[in-house]
């Protein structure tokens, strides 16, 4: 069996013999291929953004799909520097060993640098069990962003290092006075 690169795995041509007319489709976000094949019946699980990301008109997170979209975009390399997000509803991630959360910002090169206002809401049932992973939590790695006004309840997280319920690592750049600000947040679990 020949291995494939991440780029190749996101190309429909890699899956010769698969039925992309009736059964499969390539996951897309804003018209771009973003992932592996998914069943056609799944539909758009991420949802479109409301707002424009400005402080006066933040992107609104109303659904788990919206929160997953934030994770996906950050983990594809968009740090969200200077962008604002506001949680509008309590969310249930319904986490378990078959429904794991992918942390928002999960490598040194894919960090969250935006501003997340939990708006006094609660995200519950966060489940992440990646024993060999670093940067594990709701947010994996927050470099120069803000996370405020958020409760995360019934948390189960496991990883190798840099593990936490809210964030695995909140840090600032060397020789910089800025960093990840966490304010008025809590976790239980």
């Amino acid at each position: 069996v020949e291995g494939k690169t991440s780029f190749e795995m996101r190309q429909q041509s890699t899956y010769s013999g698969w039925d992309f007319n009736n059964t499969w489709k390539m996951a897309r976000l804003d018209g771009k291929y973003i992932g592996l094949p998914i069943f056609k019946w799944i539909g758009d699980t991420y949802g479109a953004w409301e707002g424009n990301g400005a402080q006066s008109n933040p992107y609104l997170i109303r659904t788990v799909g919206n929160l997953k979209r934030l994770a996906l975009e950050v983990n594809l390399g968009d740090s969200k520097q200077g962008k604002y997000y506001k949680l509008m509803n309590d969310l249930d991630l319904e986490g378990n060993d078959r429904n794991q959360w992918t942390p928002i910002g999960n490598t040194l090169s894919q960090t969250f640098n935006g501003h997340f206002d939990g708006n006094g809401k609660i995200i519950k049932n966060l489940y992440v069990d990646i024993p060999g992973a670093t940067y594990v939590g709701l947010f994996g790695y927050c470099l120069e962003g803000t996370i405020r006004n958020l409760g995360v309840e019934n948390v189960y997280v496991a990883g190798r290092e840099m593990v936490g319920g809210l964030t695995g690592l909140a840090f600032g750049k060397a020789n910089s006075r800025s960093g990840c600000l966490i304010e008025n947040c809590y976790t239980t679990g």
Side-chain angles (χ1 to χ4, degrees), residues 106-122:
N106 58 7
T107 68
L108 284 172
S109 62
Q110 297 166 328
T111 62
F112 178 74
N113 298 343
H115 306 280
F116 188 94
D117 181 359
N119 195 28
K121 306 298 183 194
I122 297 168

Side-chain angles (χ1 to χ4, degrees), residues 14 19 32 42 49 52-53 63 65 67 79 84 88 107 110 113 116-117 126 129 131-132 138 147 171 174 181:
T14 300
D19 183 359
K32 298 176 190 169
I42 290 177
W49 287 124
N52 65 11
T63 67
L67 191 64
S79 73
Y84 290 80
M88 302 305 293
T107 68
Q110 297 166 328
N113 298 343
F116 188 94
D117 181 359
L126 171 69
D129 186 5
L138 178 66
I147 305 168
F171 202 71
L181 172 68

Side-chain angles (χ1 to χ4, degrees), residues 12-52:
Q12 183 172 323
S13 60
T14 300
Y15 303 93
S16 62
W18 289 42
D19 183 359
F20 283 93
N21 292 320
N22 300 304
T23 307
W24 298 97
K25 68 179 180 179
M26 296 301 288
R28 291 176 179 243
L29 183 64
D30 296 334
K32 298 176 190 169
Y33 290 119
I34 56 163
L36 302 173
I38 60 174
F39 289 112
K40 279 192 162 192
W41 56 264
I42 290 177
D44 179 10
T45 59
Y46 301 111
W49 287 124
E50 293 178 61
N52 65 11

Side-chain angles (χ1 to χ4, degrees), residues 127-140:
Y127 186 96
V128 187
D129 186 5
I130 314 170
T134 305
Y135 314 119
V136 178
L138 178 66
F139 291 83

Side-chain angles (χ1 to χ4, degrees), residues 69-88:
R69 180 177 181 155
L70 173 59
L72 178 67
E73 290 178 358
V74 171
N75 296 340
L76 286 173
D78 183 353
S79 73
K80 303 304 180 184
Q81 182 78 38
K83 298 294 183 186
Y84 290 80
Y85 295 83
K86 188 173 188 178
L87 186 61
M88 302 305 293

